[in-house]
Structure formats: structure tokens, C-alpha cells
PDB file of all heavy atoms in Angstrom:
ATOM      1  N   LEU G   1     -15.694 -36.698  42.275  1.00 88.00           N
ATOM      2  CA  LEU G   1     -16.363 -36.788  43.427  1.00 88.00           C
ATOM      3  C   LEU G   1     -16.296 -38.106  44.223  1.00 88.00           C
ATOM      4  O   LEU G   1     -16.180 -38.078  45.388  1.00 88.00           O
ATOM      5  CB  LEU G   1     -17.852 -36.567  43.190  1.00 88.00           C
ATOM      6  CG  LEU G   1     -18.190 -35.059  42.651  1.00 88.00           C
ATOM      7  CD1 LEU G   1     -19.721 -35.030  42.279  1.00 88.00           C
ATOM      8  CD2 LEU G   1     -17.922 -33.958  43.659  1.00 88.00           C
ATOM      9  N   CYS G   2     -16.266 -39.100  43.501  1.00 89.00           N
ATOM     10  CA  CYS G   2     -16.127 -40.480  44.101  1.00 89.00           C
ATOM     11  C   CYS G   2     -14.729 -40.725  44.684  1.00 89.00           C
ATOM     12  O   CYS G   2     -14.582 -41.195  45.843  1.00 89.00           O
ATOM     13  CB  CYS G   2     -16.413 -41.536  43.121  1.00 89.00           C
ATOM     14  SG  CYS G   2     -18.149 -41.603  42.618  1.00 89.00           S
ATOM     15  N   SER G   3     -13.728 -40.374  43.916  1.00 87.00           N
ATOM     16  CA  SER G   3     -12.368 -40.507  44.434  1.00 87.00           C
ATOM     17  C   SER G   3     -12.032 -39.785  45.663  1.00 87.00           C
ATOM     18  O   SER G   3     -11.249 -40.104  46.561  1.00 87.00           O
ATOM     19  CB  SER G   3     -11.299 -40.221  43.345  1.00 87.00           C
ATOM     20  OG  SER G   3     -11.364 -38.803  42.949  1.00 87.00           O
ATOM     21  N   SER G   4     -12.651 -38.477  45.784  1.00 85.00           N
ATOM     22  CA  SER G   4     -12.425 -37.696  46.947  1.00 85.00           C
ATOM     23  C   SER G   4     -13.007 -38.342  48.187  1.00 85.00           C
ATOM     24  O   SER G   4     -12.580 -37.994  49.288  1.00 85.00           O
ATOM     25  CB  SER G   4     -12.994 -36.278  46.723  1.00 85.00           C
ATOM     26  OG  SER G   4     -14.479 -36.392  46.647  1.00 85.00           O
ATOM     27  N   GLN G   5     -13.913 -39.281  48.131  1.00 87.00           N
ATOM     28  CA  GLN G   5     -14.485 -39.981  49.215  1.00 87.00           C
ATOM     29  C   GLN G   5     -14.113 -41.406  49.363  1.00 87.00           C
ATOM     30  O   GLN G   5     -14.684 -42.140  50.118  1.00 87.00           O
ATOM     31  CB  GLN G   5     -16.062 -39.827  49.227  1.00 87.00           C
ATOM     32  CG  GLN G   5     -16.534 -38.399  49.207  1.00 87.00           C
ATOM     33  CD  GLN G   5     -18.009 -38.285  49.515  1.00 87.00           C
ATOM     34  OE1 GLN G   5     -18.611 -39.187  50.113  1.00 87.00           O
ATOM     35  NE2 GLN G   5     -18.683 -37.294  48.976  1.00 87.00           N
ATOM     36  N   GLY G   6     -13.212 -41.801  48.494  1.00 88.00           N
ATOM     37  CA  GLY G   6     -12.683 -43.169  48.494  1.00 88.00           C
ATOM     38  C   GLY G   6     -13.652 -44.186  47.998  1.00 88.00           C
ATOM     39  O   GLY G   6     -13.642 -45.375  48.432  1.00 88.00           O
ATOM     40  N   ILE G   7     -14.541 -43.774  47.092  1.00 90.00           N
ATOM     41  CA  ILE G   7     -15.517 -44.624  46.546  1.00 90.00           C
ATOM     42  C   ILE G   7     -15.192 -44.879  45.011  1.00 90.00           C
ATOM     43  O   ILE G   7     -14.879 -43.952  44.320  1.00 90.00           O
ATOM     44  CB  ILE G   7     -16.978 -44.028  46.609  1.00 90.00           C
ATOM     45  CG1 ILE G   7     -17.279 -43.701  48.062  1.00 90.00           C
ATOM     46  CG2 ILE G   7     -17.979 -44.904  45.971  1.00 90.00           C
ATOM     47  CD1 ILE G   7     -17.489 -44.892  48.890  1.00 90.00           C
ATOM     48  N   SER G   8     -15.172 -46.144  44.631  1.00 92.00           N
ATOM     49  CA  SER G   8     -14.969 -46.456  43.220  1.00 92.00           C
ATOM     50  C   SER G   8     -16.264 -46.296  42.420  1.00 92.00           C
ATOM     51  O   SER G   8     -17.318 -46.382  42.969  1.00 92.00           O
ATOM     52  CB  SER G   8     -14.505 -47.808  43.093  1.00 92.00           C
ATOM     53  OG  SER G   8     -15.418 -48.827  43.551  1.00 92.00           O
ATOM     54  N   VAL G   9     -16.067 -46.017  41.100  1.00 91.00           N
ATOM     55  CA  VAL G   9     -17.239 -45.786  40.265  1.00 91.00           C
ATOM     56  C   VAL G   9     -17.077 -46.501  38.900  1.00 91.00           C
ATOM     57  O   VAL G   9     -16.007 -46.596  38.394  1.00 91.00           O
ATOM     58  CB  VAL G   9     -17.449 -44.225  40.018  1.00 91.00           C
ATOM     59  CG1 VAL G   9     -16.159 -43.682  39.323  1.00 91.00           C
ATOM     60  CG2 VAL G   9     -18.669 -43.991  39.201  1.00 91.00           C
ATOM     61  N   ALA G  10     -18.243 -47.021  38.490  1.00 92.00           N
ATOM     62  CA  ALA G  10     -18.298 -47.682  37.155  1.00 92.00           C
ATOM     63  C   ALA G  10     -19.208 -46.937  36.271  1.00 92.00           C
ATOM     64  O   ALA G  10     -20.479 -46.901  36.651  1.00 92.00           O
ATOM     65  CB  ALA G  10     -18.748 -49.100  37.328  1.00 92.00           C
ATOM     66  N   PHE G  11     -18.741 -46.345  35.239  1.00 91.00           N
ATOM     67  CA  PHE G  11     -19.488 -45.454  34.375  1.00 91.00           C
ATOM     68  C   PHE G  11     -19.785 -46.092  33.086  1.00 91.00           C
ATOM     69  O   PHE G  11     -18.797 -46.484  32.386  1.00 91.00           O
ATOM     70  CB  PHE G  11     -18.812 -44.049  34.169  1.00 91.00           C
ATOM     71  CG  PHE G  11     -19.763 -43.105  33.477  1.00 91.00           C
ATOM     72  CD1 PHE G  11     -20.384 -42.095  34.277  1.00 91.00           C
ATOM     73  CD2 PHE G  11     -19.820 -43.083  32.123  1.00 91.00           C
ATOM     74  CE1 PHE G  11     -21.166 -41.159  33.695  1.00 91.00           C
ATOM     75  CE2 PHE G  11     -20.657 -42.049  31.523  1.00 91.00           C
ATOM     76  CZ  PHE G  11     -21.311 -41.082  32.319  1.00 91.00           C
ATOM     77  N   GLN G  12     -21.023 -46.286  32.760  1.00 90.00           N
ATOM     78  CA  GLN G  12     -21.358 -47.001  31.447  1.00 90.00           C
ATOM     79  C   GLN G  12     -22.252 -46.086  30.646  1.00 90.00           C
ATOM     80  O   GLN G  12     -23.372 -45.731  30.950  1.00 90.00           O
ATOM     81  CB  GLN G  12     -22.171 -48.204  31.724  1.00 90.00           C
ATOM     82  CG  GLN G  12     -22.524 -49.044  30.495  1.00 90.00           C
ATOM     83  CD  GLN G  12     -23.269 -50.398  30.834  1.00 90.00           C
ATOM     84  OE1 GLN G  12     -23.460 -50.672  32.049  1.00 90.00           O
ATOM     85  NE2 GLN G  12     -23.644 -51.180  29.766  1.00 90.00           N
ATOM     86  N   ASN G  13     -21.821 -45.815  29.396  1.00 88.00           N
ATOM     87  CA  ASN G  13     -22.593 -44.980  28.434  1.00 88.00           C
ATOM     88  C   ASN G  13     -22.966 -45.810  27.196  1.00 88.00           C
ATOM     89  O   ASN G  13     -22.171 -46.251  26.422  1.00 88.00           O
ATOM     90  CB  ASN G  13     -21.693 -43.808  28.021  1.00 88.00           C
ATOM     91  CG  ASN G  13     -22.410 -42.902  26.891  1.00 88.00           C
ATOM     92  OD1 ASN G  13     -23.650 -43.026  26.783  1.00 88.00           O
ATOM     93  ND2 ASN G  13     -21.647 -42.059  26.233  1.00 88.00           N
ATOM     94  N   ASN G  14     -24.290 -46.127  27.151  1.00 86.00           N
ATOM     95  CA  ASN G  14     -24.829 -46.929  25.993  1.00 86.00           C
ATOM     96  C   ASN G  14     -25.422 -46.059  24.892  1.00 86.00           C
ATOM     97  O   ASN G  14     -26.099 -46.615  23.958  1.00 86.00           O
ATOM     98  CB  ASN G  14     -25.927 -47.867  26.528  1.00 86.00           C
ATOM     99  CG  ASN G  14     -25.351 -48.843  27.599  1.00 86.00           C
ATOM    100  OD1 ASN G  14     -24.144 -49.232  27.536  1.00 86.00           O
ATOM    101  ND2 ASN G  14     -26.199 -49.192  28.613  1.00 86.00           N
ATOM    102  N   ILE G  15     -25.179 -44.808  24.865  1.00 85.00           N
ATOM    103  CA  ILE G  15     -25.771 -43.955  23.838  1.00 85.00           C
ATOM    104  C   ILE G  15     -24.850 -43.887  22.581  1.00 85.00           C
ATOM    105  O   ILE G  15     -23.719 -43.496  22.672  1.00 85.00           O
ATOM    106  CB  ILE G  15     -26.064 -42.544  24.373  1.00 85.00           C
ATOM    107  CG1 ILE G  15     -26.972 -42.670  25.539  1.00 85.00           C
ATOM    108  CG2 ILE G  15     -26.650 -41.624  23.365  1.00 85.00           C
ATOM    109  CD1 ILE G  15     -27.193 -41.342  26.348  1.00 85.00           C
ATOM    110  N   LYS G  16     -25.448 -44.162  21.416  1.00 82.00           N
ATOM    111  CA  LYS G  16     -24.670 -44.241  20.140  1.00 82.00           C
ATOM    112  C   LYS G  16     -24.931 -42.933  19.333  1.00 82.00           C
ATOM    113  O   LYS G  16     -24.150 -42.656  18.316  1.00 82.00           O
ATOM    114  CB  LYS G  16     -24.964 -45.394  19.380  1.00 82.00           C
ATOM    115  CG  LYS G  16     -24.825 -46.725  20.082  1.00 82.00           C
ATOM    116  CD  LYS G  16     -23.444 -46.930  20.583  1.00 82.00           C
ATOM    117  CE  LYS G  16     -23.243 -48.201  21.298  1.00 82.00           C
ATOM    118  NZ  LYS G  16     -21.806 -48.410  21.724  1.00 82.00           N
ATOM    119  N   LYS G  17     -25.907 -42.094  19.686  1.00 81.00           N
ATOM    120  CA  LYS G  17     -26.188 -40.896  18.986  1.00 81.00           C
ATOM    121  C   LYS G  17     -25.052 -39.965  18.992  1.00 81.00           C
ATOM    122  O   LYS G  17     -24.356 -39.902  19.953  1.00 81.00           O
ATOM    123  CB  LYS G  17     -27.516 -40.302  19.414  1.00 81.00           C
ATOM    124  CG  LYS G  17     -28.785 -40.894  18.929  1.00 81.00           C
ATOM    125  CD  LYS G  17     -30.005 -40.133  19.412  1.00 81.00           C
ATOM    126  CE  LYS G  17     -31.240 -40.652  18.812  1.00 81.00           C
ATOM    127  NZ  LYS G  17     -31.401 -40.370  17.431  1.00 81.00           N
ATOM    128  N   CYS G  18     -24.920 -39.140  17.961  1.00 83.00           N
ATOM    129  CA  CYS G  18     -23.921 -38.114  17.950  1.00 83.00           C
ATOM    130  C   CYS G  18     -24.370 -36.894  18.718  1.00 83.00           C
ATOM    131  O   CYS G  18     -23.549 -36.206  19.350  1.00 83.00           O
ATOM    132  CB  CYS G  18     -23.583 -37.676  16.521  1.00 83.00           C
ATOM    133  SG  CYS G  18     -22.825 -38.990  15.494  1.00 83.00           S
ATOM    134  N   SER G  19     -25.654 -36.561  18.644  1.00 85.00           N
ATOM    135  CA  SER G  19     -26.229 -35.331  19.307  1.00 85.00           C
ATOM    136  C   SER G  19     -27.596 -35.437  19.527  1.00 85.00           C
ATOM    137  O   SER G  19     -28.372 -36.205  18.899  1.00 85.00           O
ATOM    138  CB  SER G  19     -25.802 -34.133  18.529  1.00 85.00           C
ATOM    139  OG  SER G  19     -26.540 -34.086  17.289  1.00 85.00           O
ATOM    140  N   PHE G  20     -28.137 -34.645  20.548  1.00 87.00           N
ATOM    141  CA  PHE G  20     -29.597 -34.487  20.794  1.00 87.00           C
ATOM    142  C   PHE G  20     -29.702 -33.167  21.518  1.00 87.00           C
ATOM    143  O   PHE G  20     -28.767 -32.546  21.967  1.00 87.00           O
ATOM    144  CB  PHE G  20     -30.163 -35.619  21.523  1.00 87.00           C
ATOM    145  CG  PHE G  20     -29.426 -36.150  22.717  1.00 87.00           C
ATOM    146  CD1 PHE G  20     -29.110 -35.294  23.765  1.00 87.00           C
ATOM    147  CD2 PHE G  20     -29.088 -37.437  22.836  1.00 87.00           C
ATOM    148  CE1 PHE G  20     -28.371 -35.639  24.858  1.00 87.00           C
ATOM    149  CE2 PHE G  20     -28.414 -37.851  24.047  1.00 87.00           C
ATOM    150  CZ  PHE G  20     -28.014 -36.978  24.984  1.00 87.00           C
ATOM    151  N   ALA G  21     -31.084 -32.732  21.597  1.00 88.00           N
ATOM    152  CA  ALA G  21     -31.303 -31.427  22.144  1.00 88.00           C
ATOM    153  C   ALA G  21     -31.729 -31.630  23.632  1.00 88.00           C
ATOM    154  O   ALA G  21     -32.728 -32.258  23.898  1.00 88.00           O
ATOM    155  CB  ALA G  21     -32.379 -30.714  21.395  1.00 88.00           C
ATOM    156  N   ILE G  22     -30.948 -31.075  24.538  1.00 89.00           N
ATOM    157  CA  ILE G  22     -31.294 -31.104  26.008  1.00 89.00           C
ATOM    158  C   ILE G  22     -30.830 -29.845  26.726  1.00 89.00           C
ATOM    159  O   ILE G  22     -30.151 -28.944  26.065  1.00 89.00           O
ATOM    160  CB  ILE G  22     -30.613 -32.337  26.733  1.00 89.00           C
ATOM    161  CG1 ILE G  22     -29.100 -32.149  26.487  1.00 89.00           C
ATOM    162  CG2 ILE G  22     -31.072 -33.626  26.247  1.00 89.00           C
ATOM    163  CD1 ILE G  22     -28.228 -33.123  27.429  1.00 89.00           C
ATOM    164  N   ASP G  23     -31.279 -29.640  27.877  1.00 88.00           N
ATOM    165  CA  ASP G  23     -30.771 -28.540  28.716  1.00 88.00           C
ATOM    166  C   ASP G  23     -29.695 -29.086  29.523  1.00 88.00           C
ATOM    167  O   ASP G  23     -29.864 -29.720  30.532  1.00 88.00           O
ATOM    168  CB  ASP G  23     -31.929 -27.933  29.592  1.00 88.00           C
ATOM    169  CG  ASP G  23     -31.516 -26.734  30.381  1.00 88.00           C
ATOM    170  OD1 ASP G  23     -30.329 -26.656  30.726  1.00 88.00           O
ATOM    171  OD2 ASP G  23     -32.346 -25.766  30.432  1.00 88.00           O
ATOM    172  N   SER G  24     -28.425 -28.982  28.980  1.00 87.00           N
ATOM    173  CA  SER G  24     -27.293 -29.652  29.615  1.00 87.00           C
ATOM    174  C   SER G  24     -27.107 -29.213  31.008  1.00 87.00           C
ATOM    175  O   SER G  24     -26.705 -30.098  31.899  1.00 87.00           O
ATOM    176  CB  SER G  24     -26.049 -29.384  28.824  1.00 87.00           C
ATOM    177  OG  SER G  24     -25.828 -27.965  28.686  1.00 87.00           O
ATOM    178  N   GLU G  25     -27.442 -27.971  31.451  1.00 86.00           N
ATOM    179  CA  GLU G  25     -27.179 -27.445  32.845  1.00 86.00           C
ATOM    180  C   GLU G  25     -28.118 -28.141  33.743  1.00 86.00           C
ATOM    181  O   GLU G  25     -27.754 -28.597  34.901  1.00 86.00           O
ATOM    182  CB  GLU G  25     -27.347 -25.921  32.887  1.00 86.00           C
ATOM    183  CG  GLU G  25     -26.275 -25.242  32.081  1.00 86.00           C
ATOM    184  CD  GLU G  25     -26.464 -23.682  32.201  1.00 86.00           C
ATOM    185  OE1 GLU G  25     -27.353 -23.293  32.935  1.00 86.00           O
ATOM    186  OE2 GLU G  25     -25.606 -22.933  31.603  1.00 86.00           O
ATOM    187  N   ALA G  26     -29.395 -28.291  33.292  1.00 87.00           N
ATOM    188  CA  ALA G  26     -30.378 -28.914  34.125  1.00 87.00           C
ATOM    189  C   ALA G  26     -29.996 -30.439  34.350  1.00 87.00           C
ATOM    190  O   ALA G  26     -30.070 -30.975  35.444  1.00 87.00           O
ATOM    191  CB  ALA G  26     -31.745 -28.856  33.577  1.00 87.00           C
ATOM    192  N   VAL G  27     -29.629 -31.158  33.250  1.00 90.00           N
ATOM    193  CA  VAL G  27     -29.177 -32.577  33.351  1.00 90.00           C
ATOM    194  C   VAL G  27     -27.994 -32.711  34.253  1.00 90.00           C
ATOM    195  O   VAL G  27     -27.945 -33.684  35.041  1.00 90.00           O
ATOM    196  CB  VAL G  27     -28.942 -33.091  31.949  1.00 90.00           C
ATOM    197  CG1 VAL G  27     -28.416 -34.542  32.016  1.00 90.00           C
ATOM    198  CG2 VAL G  27     -30.268 -33.014  31.094  1.00 90.00           C
ATOM    199  N   LEU G  28     -27.028 -31.791  34.182  1.00 89.00           N
ATOM    200  CA  LEU G  28     -25.802 -31.932  34.905  1.00 89.00           C
ATOM    201  C   LEU G  28     -26.179 -31.722  36.426  1.00 89.00           C
ATOM    202  O   LEU G  28     -25.577 -32.390  37.321  1.00 89.00           O
ATOM    203  CB  LEU G  28     -24.772 -30.862  34.426  1.00 89.00           C
ATOM    204  CG  LEU G  28     -23.511 -30.822  35.176  1.00 89.00           C
ATOM    205  CD1 LEU G  28     -22.734 -32.220  35.114  1.00 89.00           C
ATOM    206  CD2 LEU G  28     -22.543 -29.687  34.698  1.00 89.00           C
ATOM    207  N   GLN G  29     -27.024 -30.859  36.707  1.00 85.00           N
ATOM    208  CA  GLN G  29     -27.377 -30.537  38.122  1.00 85.00           C
ATOM    209  C   GLN G  29     -28.117 -31.749  38.746  1.00 85.00           C
ATOM    210  O   GLN G  29     -27.891 -32.140  39.914  1.00 85.00           O
ATOM    211  CB  GLN G  29     -28.334 -29.297  38.223  1.00 85.00           C
ATOM    212  CG  GLN G  29     -28.654 -28.966  39.694  1.00 85.00           C
ATOM    213  CD  GLN G  29     -29.340 -27.629  39.860  1.00 85.00           C
ATOM    214  OE1 GLN G  29     -29.527 -26.900  38.940  1.00 85.00           O
ATOM    215  NE2 GLN G  29     -29.697 -27.283  41.012  1.00 85.00           N
ATOM    216  N   VAL G  30     -29.005 -32.378  37.966  1.00 89.00           N
ATOM    217  CA  VAL G  30     -29.692 -33.576  38.467  1.00 89.00           C
ATOM    218  C   VAL G  30     -28.653 -34.698  38.646  1.00 89.00           C
ATOM    219  O   VAL G  30     -28.696 -35.390  39.686  1.00 89.00           O
ATOM    220  CB  VAL G  30     -30.772 -34.045  37.386  1.00 89.00           C
ATOM    221  CG1 VAL G  30     -31.273 -35.416  37.725  1.00 89.00           C
ATOM    222  CG2 VAL G  30     -31.911 -33.049  37.223  1.00 89.00           C
ATOM    223  N   PHE G  31     -27.724 -34.838  37.695  1.00 91.00           N
ATOM    224  CA  PHE G  31     -26.678 -35.876  37.802  1.00 91.00           C
ATOM    225  C   PHE G  31     -25.865 -35.649  39.154  1.00 91.00           C
ATOM    226  O   PHE G  31     -25.636 -36.693  39.889  1.00 91.00           O
ATOM    227  CB  PHE G  31     -25.777 -35.835  36.603  1.00 91.00           C
ATOM    228  CG  PHE G  31     -24.575 -36.779  36.684  1.00 91.00           C
ATOM    229  CD1 PHE G  31     -24.718 -38.094  36.444  1.00 91.00           C
ATOM    230  CD2 PHE G  31     -23.378 -36.229  36.991  1.00 91.00           C
ATOM    231  CE1 PHE G  31     -23.698 -39.034  36.488  1.00 91.00           C
ATOM    232  CE2 PHE G  31     -22.244 -37.142  37.069  1.00 91.00           C
ATOM    233  CZ  PHE G  31     -22.469 -38.478  36.799  1.00 91.00           C
ATOM    234  N   GLU G  32     -25.501 -34.390  39.396  1.00 88.00           N
ATOM    235  CA  GLU G  32     -24.696 -34.127  40.620  1.00 88.00           C
ATOM    236  C   GLU G  32     -25.559 -34.434  41.787  1.00 88.00           C
ATOM    237  O   GLU G  32     -24.923 -34.926  42.861  1.00 88.00           O
ATOM    238  CB  GLU G  32     -24.225 -32.617  40.547  1.00 88.00           C
ATOM    239  CG  GLU G  32     -23.158 -32.441  39.469  1.00 88.00           C
ATOM    240  CD  GLU G  32     -22.785 -31.006  39.441  1.00 88.00           C
ATOM    241  OE1 GLU G  32     -23.402 -30.190  40.091  1.00 88.00           O
ATOM    242  OE2 GLU G  32     -21.767 -30.623  38.665  1.00 88.00           O
ATOM    243  N   ASN G  33     -26.739 -34.085  41.809  1.00 85.00           N
ATOM    244  CA  ASN G  33     -27.655 -34.314  42.989  1.00 85.00           C
ATOM    245  C   ASN G  33     -27.793 -35.775  43.243  1.00 85.00           C
ATOM    246  O   ASN G  33     -27.658 -36.187  44.449  1.00 85.00           O
ATOM    247  CB  ASN G  33     -28.996 -33.632  42.791  1.00 85.00           C
ATOM    248  CG  ASN G  33     -28.991 -32.161  42.950  1.00 85.00           C
ATOM    249  OD1 ASN G  33     -27.961 -31.516  43.146  1.00 85.00           O
ATOM    250  ND2 ASN G  33     -30.127 -31.509  42.704  1.00 85.00           N
ATOM    251  N   LEU G  34     -28.049 -36.581  42.219  1.00 89.00           N
ATOM    252  CA  LEU G  34     -28.238 -38.017  42.495  1.00 89.00           C
ATOM    253  C   LEU G  34     -26.982 -38.631  42.888  1.00 89.00           C
ATOM    254  O   LEU G  34     -26.930 -39.486  43.733  1.00 89.00           O
ATOM    255  CB  LEU G  34     -28.732 -38.623  41.154  1.00 89.00           C
ATOM    256  CG  LEU G  34     -30.027 -38.214  40.595  1.00 89.00           C
ATOM    257  CD1 LEU G  34     -30.469 -38.998  39.492  1.00 89.00           C
ATOM    258  CD2 LEU G  34     -31.177 -38.226  41.735  1.00 89.00           C
ATOM    259  N   LEU G  35     -25.831 -38.245  42.266  1.00 90.00           N
ATOM    260  CA  LEU G  35     -24.463 -38.716  42.661  1.00 90.00           C
ATOM    261  C   LEU G  35     -24.201 -38.410  44.145  1.00 90.00           C
ATOM    262  O   LEU G  35     -23.646 -39.234  44.897  1.00 90.00           O
ATOM    263  CB  LEU G  35     -23.430 -38.249  41.781  1.00 90.00           C
ATOM    264  CG  LEU G  35     -22.035 -38.732  41.939  1.00 90.00           C
ATOM    265  CD1 LEU G  35     -21.993 -40.376  41.870  1.00 90.00           C
ATOM    266  CD2 LEU G  35     -21.022 -38.205  41.000  1.00 90.00           C
ATOM    267  N   GLY G  36     -24.477 -37.187  44.463  1.00 86.00           N
ATOM    268  CA  GLY G  36     -24.259 -36.712  45.880  1.00 86.00           C
ATOM    269  C   GLY G  36     -25.075 -37.520  46.848  1.00 86.00           C
ATOM    270  O   GLY G  36     -24.506 -37.961  47.950  1.00 86.00           O
ATOM    271  N   ASN G  37     -26.269 -37.815  46.535  1.00 84.00           N
ATOM    272  CA  ASN G  37     -27.159 -38.717  47.417  1.00 84.00           C
ATOM    273  C   ASN G  37     -26.591 -40.111  47.424  1.00 84.00           C
ATOM    274  O   ASN G  37     -26.579 -40.765  48.646  1.00 84.00           O
ATOM    275  CB  ASN G  37     -28.543 -38.733  46.799  1.00 84.00           C
ATOM    276  CG  ASN G  37     -29.498 -39.565  47.694  1.00 84.00           C
ATOM    277  OD1 ASN G  37     -30.027 -38.942  48.655  1.00 84.00           O
ATOM    278  ND2 ASN G  37     -29.754 -40.838  47.450  1.00 84.00           N
ATOM    279  N   ALA G  38     -26.068 -40.589  46.316  1.00 88.00           N
ATOM    280  CA  ALA G  38     -25.504 -41.994  46.380  1.00 88.00           C
ATOM    281  C   ALA G  38     -24.211 -41.990  47.211  1.00 88.00           C
ATOM    282  O   ALA G  38     -23.995 -43.051  47.924  1.00 88.00           O
ATOM    283  CB  ALA G  38     -25.154 -42.472  44.898  1.00 88.00           C
ATOM    284  N   LEU G  39     -23.400 -41.010  47.160  1.00 88.00           N
ATOM    285  CA  LEU G  39     -22.154 -40.922  47.965  1.00 88.00           C
ATOM    286  C   LEU G  39     -22.488 -40.800  49.386  1.00 88.00           C
ATOM    287  O   LEU G  39     -21.587 -41.267  50.240  1.00 88.00           O
ATOM    288  CB  LEU G  39     -21.289 -39.834  47.453  1.00 88.00           C
ATOM    289  CG  LEU G  39     -20.721 -39.908  45.994  1.00 88.00           C
ATOM    290  CD1 LEU G  39     -19.945 -38.680  45.679  1.00 88.00           C
ATOM    291  CD2 LEU G  39     -19.794 -41.178  45.942  1.00 88.00           C
TER     292      LEU G  39
END
């Protein structure tokens, strides 16, 4: 998404756990909405 608009991105993942229980689809939709707003 960032490269398509000529924006550079710095992605930092500080999570060391192997797994946890989440609704991945909901989290992914929130991520895309926030990223779209930032872009």
C-alpha cells in the first residue's frame, strides 16, 4: 500500500510470543483502515 503511493514505511514488531488468540480478520481490517488514514 505504501509503495503504491510513493510512501516509505518502517515496520517494527516487538512481540516475542509464538501465538495468541485473536480475531485476525478484525485486527487486519483495523490495520488497513488506520494505514489508509495515515496514507
Side-chain angles (χ1 to χ4, degrees):
L1 293 177
C2 290
S3 61
S4 65
Q5 297 192 28
I7 303 294
S8 62
V9 59
F11 191 95
Q12 181 181 359
N13 178 16
N14 297 329
I15 300 175
K16 305 300 180 182
K17 280 183 173 292
C18 296
S19 64
F20 47 55
I22 58 171
D23 189 322
S24 56
E25 294 181 2
V27 174
L28 181 58
Q29 184 170 357
V30 171
F31 176 78
E32 291 176 350
N33 287 359
L34 298 188
L35 182 59
N37 186 84
L39 291 176

